[in-house]
């Protein structure tokens, strides 16, 4: 036999799950325990005291044979039979009135009655019979036991016999149905995780801090509102303060309260600052809540399972009530039994009494009462389940009572669990909502960040860049530390991989800041901060993966002069970039786009009136449509690099103000269109390097104003004489080709200052080369040159000479006459330098403050 504790253990759940047990589930659990007690009490009583007592129903007439044999005898006759072994057995035949009834089994009494009968004994028996009352039967004890057991099974209704077991089984089913959602593998893991996170959120110091700040703000606002209404209406004014981020607007705005200095300012009570450990635990909780929400909101299994088990309990209640109510009247104290064992007992009918009838009836009525209450609660649960949409949960009340207006509404199982928790205590969901708020998470990150990145630590990370400007680069932080805005002498600020960057009004202290880099950093700015950036920022670099990362306020910086966009801007997303807003950038001079464009966005023409430099760096994607370039009439510098161009685009010839053209790293093979450059009167620099050009057409002579020509890293084998007719040419770069001869016409370039022919097949230097007396840079490395003429001394302005990688066996002594050449500008093998005379080396080793050009 099992105990109550063992059966009650079926309804045991983890103590922490109590927060998911609404009052009706708790009440039903108690009802189930009471029903268990009823079942076990009834079962115990049945096993220990339940019995049936039966007596035969005597006939009013007797068998005719028995009447004839005993008609003249006394009313009461006692027959005694003694066995030979001394054992004694008495069997009595009792006659009421004049007609005694003799059982058919008593043959021994008839045969011996005449031998042992005496008058004295007859009188004693007669006297004894007069003293007793009731009718006598001829049944012995074993026969009574037999008939009692027989009639217990035949006469009693089955419900009287199995009532305790039925109650026990039904109760166990109800208990299992109530707690099945806590045991089912696919739901118990989610519930366990939810309860664990909820408990940690409830006890987290960050929750207390966040809600305390909100309470302080609310109480302060109420106090000031009351005070202001009575006596201080003129001292209250609104001012820009710290704000909450908004994804739909480019700026962040938030209003606060400030008070006149004439009246005492009431300070908000300070809240205990989180230590580092509490901060890390709170950040881990934010991440857990985020992942749990994403996991649970995808399904509604918990909700369906709870509804299902409630429906099962309701159906079970109806079933139990229907069939149990019919058995209340069947339980009675008296029963008529017809066992059909007359050949064994001698009687055909018995009247029996059930000693547990009244107790069972009371227990049954109690059980029906309990099950009715249980059923009504089930019906109420169903009403609650379908009265409101439990698969949606709104934090509207929490948003109204706190400063966290961005707490999102949740759905499906997540919403259902929160509804269940509200039935226990709504404070749990309020505290839990803190960890669903991005504002709350950002505040936590800000506190932790400011503790870690102090002013002194940031100052250690400030460095000087190539332009000798003070630069700070912050990488992969949770936000922008407040101390950054105290670095008032900072010139360049780089923010990289900071997804929650927020630029506050304190940036207005950084009066020297003119350059800002946002690398994968969709920064949000407050209104005051935006006003400062709009008036002071000159250069902005934005690197992104998706166009959504480009902050909307970028296109409103009216004083911006340089804009660098680096990211994915293919033709499918061109409309999403929002380049139509570039028309607000009225002072933009330089636009640099590094992307994978297949066509130039037509909206770039919005900045055409004032744009002077356009740079497009593709990643190898072929740039097909260039018609928009025709409208860029004021562009002075144009770079189309790595765009897979095979010819010089015709749209370029319409750029009348073009001064510099760079078509680096394309697939250009022929440049016959170069004759059209004669219309570009201002073109002074042409860069066709890193292409596949095999020859230079003679029409290049028409570019009269050309000063710089870059043809390095191509497939040139000769230099046509037409190149040397460009009298204004100051820089000529033909490095890394297959040129074997330097034409003597090079001497015509009297303005040539930089000549690069490194990495070719030149073996002899023409003497005419040294007539270019204005040469400052001469790169002759990695060729086949065997000697350097002494006329190199004529290059009095030479500051850089590269000779390394040739076949030289000595250097000319006249190098010492190159007044501006120093050892740092002489690139040659060490043994050749050491072979120079000491006086020449002494001259070359002299220091000079005159800068030199080191090539391209």
């Amino acid at each position: 036999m099992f105990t109550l504790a063992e059966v009650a253990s079926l309804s045991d759940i983890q103590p922490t799950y109590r927060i998911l047990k609404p009052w009706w589930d708790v009440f039903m659990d108690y009802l189930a325990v009471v029903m268990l007690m009823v079942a076990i009490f009834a079962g115990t009583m049945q096993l220990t005291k339940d019995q049936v007592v039966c007596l035969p129903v005597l006939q009013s007439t007797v068998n005719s044979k028995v009447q004839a044999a005993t008609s003249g005898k006394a009313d009461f006759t006692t027959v005694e039979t003694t066995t030979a072994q001394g054992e004694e057995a008495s069997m009595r035949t009792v006659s009421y009135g004049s007609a005694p009834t003799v059982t058919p089994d008593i043959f021994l009494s008839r045969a011996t009655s005449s031998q042992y009968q005496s008058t004295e004994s007859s009188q004693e028996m007669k006297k004894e019979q007069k003293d007793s009352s009731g009718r006598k039967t001829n049944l012995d004890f074993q026969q009574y036991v037999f008939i009692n057991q027989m009639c217990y099974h035949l006469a009693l209704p089955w419900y009287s016999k199995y009532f305790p077991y039925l109650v026990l089984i039904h109760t166990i089913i109800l208990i299992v149905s109530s707690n099945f959602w806590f045991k089912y593998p696919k739901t118990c893991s989610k519930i366990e995780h939810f309860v664990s996170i909820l408990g940690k959120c409830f006890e987290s110091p960050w929750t207390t801090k966040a809600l305390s700040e909100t309470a302080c703000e609310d109480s302060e606002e109420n106090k000031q509102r009351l005070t202001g209404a009575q006596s201080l209406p003129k001292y209250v004014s609104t001012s820009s303060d710290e704000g909450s981020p908004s994804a739909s607007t480019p700026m962040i705005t938030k209003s606060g309260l400030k008070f006149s200095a004439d009246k005492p300012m009431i300070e908000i009570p300070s809240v205990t600052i989180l230590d580092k450990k509490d901060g890390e635990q709170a950040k881990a909780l934010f991440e857990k809540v985020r992942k749990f929400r994403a996991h649970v909101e995808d399904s509604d299994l918990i909700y369906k399972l709870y509804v299902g088990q409630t429906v099962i309990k309701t159906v079970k209640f109806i079933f139990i009530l229907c069939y149990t109510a019919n058995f209340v009247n069947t339980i009675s104290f008296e029963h008529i039994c017809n066992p059909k064992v007359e050949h064994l007992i001698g009687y055909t009918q018995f009247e029996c009494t059930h000693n547990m009838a009244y107790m069972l009836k009371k227990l049954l009525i109690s059980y029906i009462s309990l099950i009715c209450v249980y059923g009504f609660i089930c019906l109420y649960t169903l009403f609650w389940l379908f009265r409101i949409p439990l698969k949606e949960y709104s934090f509207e009340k929490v948003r109204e009572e706190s400063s966290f207006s961005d707490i999102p509404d949740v759905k499906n199982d997540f919403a259902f669990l929160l509804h269940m928790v509200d039935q226990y205590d709504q404070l749990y969901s309020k505290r839990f909502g803190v960890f669903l708020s991005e504002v709350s998470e950002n505040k936590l990150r800000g506190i932790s960040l400011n503790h870690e990145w102090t002013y002194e630590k940031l100052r250690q990370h400030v460095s000087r860049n190539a332009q000798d400007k003070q630069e700070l680069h912050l990488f992969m932080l949770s936000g922008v530390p407040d101390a950054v805005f105290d670095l008032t002498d900072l010139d360049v600020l780089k923010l990289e991989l900071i997804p929650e960057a927020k630029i506050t009004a304190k940036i207005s202290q950084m009066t020297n800041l003119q350059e800002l880099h946002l690398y994968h950093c969709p920064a949000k700015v407050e209104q005051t901060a935006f006003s400062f950036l709009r008036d002071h920022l000159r250069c902005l670099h934005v690197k992104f993966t998706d166009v959504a990362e480009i902050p909307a306020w970028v296109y409103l910086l009216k004083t911006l002069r340089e804009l660098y966009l680096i990211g994915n801007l293919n033709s499918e997303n061109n409309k999403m970039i929002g380049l139509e807003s570039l028309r607000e950038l009225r002072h933009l001079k330089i636009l640099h786009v590094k992307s994978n464009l297949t066509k130039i966005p037509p909206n770039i023409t919005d900045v055409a009136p004032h744009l002077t430099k356009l740079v497009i760096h593709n990643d190898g994607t072929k740039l097909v449509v260039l018609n928009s370039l025709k409208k860029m009439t004021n562009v002075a510098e144009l770079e189309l690099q790595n765009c897979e161009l095979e010819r010089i685009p015709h749209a370029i010839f319409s750029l009348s103000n073009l001064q510099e053209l760079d078509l680096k790293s394309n697939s250009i093979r022929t440049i016959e269109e170069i004759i059209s450059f004669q219309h570009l009167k201002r073109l002074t620099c042409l860069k066709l390097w890193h292409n596949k050009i095999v020859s230079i057409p003679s029409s290049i002579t028409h570019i009269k104003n050309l000063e710089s020509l870059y043809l390095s890293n191509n497939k040139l084998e000769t230099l046509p004489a037409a190149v040397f007719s460009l009298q204004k040419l100051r820089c000529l770069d033909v490095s890394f080709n297959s040129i074997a001869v330097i034409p003597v016409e090079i001497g015509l370039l009297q303005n040539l200052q930089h000549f690069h022919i490194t990495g070719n097949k030149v073996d002899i230097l023409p003497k005419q080369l040294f007539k270019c007396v204005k040469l400052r840079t001469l790169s002759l490395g990695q060729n086949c040159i065997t000697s350097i003429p002494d006329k190199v001394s004529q290059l009095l302005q030479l500051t850089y000479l590269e000779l390394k990688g040739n076949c030289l066996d000595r250097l000319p002594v006249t190098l010492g006459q190159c007044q501006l050449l120093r050892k740092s500008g002489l690139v040659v093998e060490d043994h050749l330098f050491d072979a120079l005379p000491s006086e020449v080396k002494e001259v070359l080793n002299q220091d000079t403050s005159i800068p030199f050009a080191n090539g391209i």
Side-chain angles (χ1 to χ4, degrees), residues 479-513:
V480 180
D482 291 341
V484 168
F485 307 114
D486 296 328
L487 302 172
T488 56
D489 56 346
L490 202 64
D491 299 308
V492 181
L493 177 59
K494 293 184 177 181
L495 306 177
E496 183 172 1
L497 292 175
I498 305 179
E500 298 297 332
K502 183 173 71 173
I503 301 176
T504 65
K506 291 180 65 178
I507 198 174
S508 58
Q509 302 174 175
M510 306 174 70
T511 54
N512 291 338
L513 184 66

Side-chain angles (χ1 to χ4, degrees), residues 92-298:
R92 298 176 180 174
T93 301
V94 183
S95 175
Y96 296 92
S98 59
T101 303
V102 181
T103 61
D105 301 273
I106 311 302
F107 300 106
L108 182 59
S109 61
R110 290 182 180 178
T112 59
S113 60
S114 60
Q115 299 177 7
Y116 295 97
Q117 187 177 14
S118 65
T119 305
E120 183 177 356
S121 61
S122 178
Q123 291 177 352
E124 291 177 357
M125 291 299 298
K126 190 180 297 184
K127 182 179 180 180
E128 181 182 351
Q129 186 65 30
K130 289 180 179 180
D131 295 336
S132 62
S133 61
R135 296 184 178 184
K136 299 296 182 178
T137 64
N138 293 323
L139 300 179
D140 59 14
F141 177 74
Q142 292 182 349
Q143 290 174 322
Y144 275 115
V145 171
F146 172 77
I147 198 61
N148 288 345
Q149 294 179 354
M150 180 68 72
C151 289
Y152 180 84
H153 292 286
L154 295 180
L156 289 185
W158 69 270
Y159 194 81
S160 299
K161 294 178 287 184
Y162 300 109
F163 167 72
Y165 308 104
L166 291 174
V167 173
L168 180 61
I169 292 173
H170 292 324
T171 305
I172 291 175
I173 293 175
L174 293 176
I175 291 175
V176 172
S177 299
S178 291
N179 300 286
F180 185 70
W181 68 313
F182 292 124
K183 308 291 184 180
Y184 187 58
K186 290 186 178 181
T187 57
C188 70
S189 59
K190 294 180 180 179
I191 294 174
E192 183 177 357
H193 196 186
F194 173 76
V195 171
S196 174
I197 293 177
L198 188 63
K200 292 177 181 178
C201 292
F202 189 84
E203 298 173 356
S204 173
W206 170 246
T207 311
T208 304
K209 176 178 174 61
L211 293 178
S212 298
E213 288 180 347
T214 300
C216 290
E217 292 174 1
D218 292 343
S219 62
E220 184 62 25
E221 289 177 1
N222 293 335
K223 185 180 296 184
Q224 294 302 333
R225 189 181 299 111
L226 180 61
T227 305
Q230 295 176 353
S231 60
L232 296 176
K234 63 181 179 180
Y235 296 109
V236 181
S237 62
T238 59
S239 65
S240 171
D241 198 359
E242 185 176 70
S244 59
S246 173
S248 60
T249 59
M251 283 74 69
I252 306 170
T253 59
K254 193 175 183 179
S255 62
L257 293 174
K258 70 176 183 179
F259 299 86
S260 171
D262 297 336
K263 296 293 179 179
M265 182 179 294
I266 302 175
E267 297 183 356
I268 298 177
S270 60
V271 184
T272 304
I273 298 177
L274 292 177
D275 58 26
K276 185 175 181 180
K277 182 179 179 181
D278 291 336
E280 292 299 324
Q281 290 177 347
K283 286 193 287 186
L285 272 178
F286 273 105
E287 186 63 23
K288 287 183 179 179
V289 170
R290 188 181 299 109
K291 292 183 177 179
F292 178 77
R293 179 188 174 192
H295 175 60
V296 176
E297 274 194 319
D298 291 339

Side-chain angles (χ1 to χ4, degrees), residues 45 60 85 104 149 181 183 254 269 320 413-414 420 426 449 502 548 640 712 733 740 745 813 823:
M45 295 293 292
S60 57
Q85 290 81 8
Q149 294 179 354
W181 68 313
K183 308 291 184 180
K254 193 175 183 179
I320 294 173
D413 282 344
F414 199 4
M420 297 296 284
Q426 292 186 355
L449 188 68
K502 183 173 71 173
L640 302 176
S712 63
D733 185 1
E745 288 84 358
V813 179
K823 184 181 179 180

Side-chain angles (χ1 to χ4, degrees), residues 434-478:
V434 172
F435 287 88
L436 290 171
S437 169
E438 291 186 6
V439 175
S440 173
E441 186 174 7
N442 292 337
K443 284 185 177 181
L444 173 64
R445 289 176 177 175
I447 292 174
S448 302
L449 188 68
N450 292 329
H451 287 174
E452 180 181 358
W453 289 87
T454 60
Y455 177 84
E456 292 75 15
K457 184 175 180 179
L458 289 170
R459 176 58 68 181
Q460 295 174 0
H461 285 75
V462 176
S463 61
R464 290 275 180 180
N465 62 13
Q467 289 76 32
D468 197 32
K469 294 182 179 180
Q470 291 197 54
E471 176 181 298
L472 176 62
H473 187 187
L474 299 179
F475 178 72
M476 289 188 69
L477 299 183
S478 59

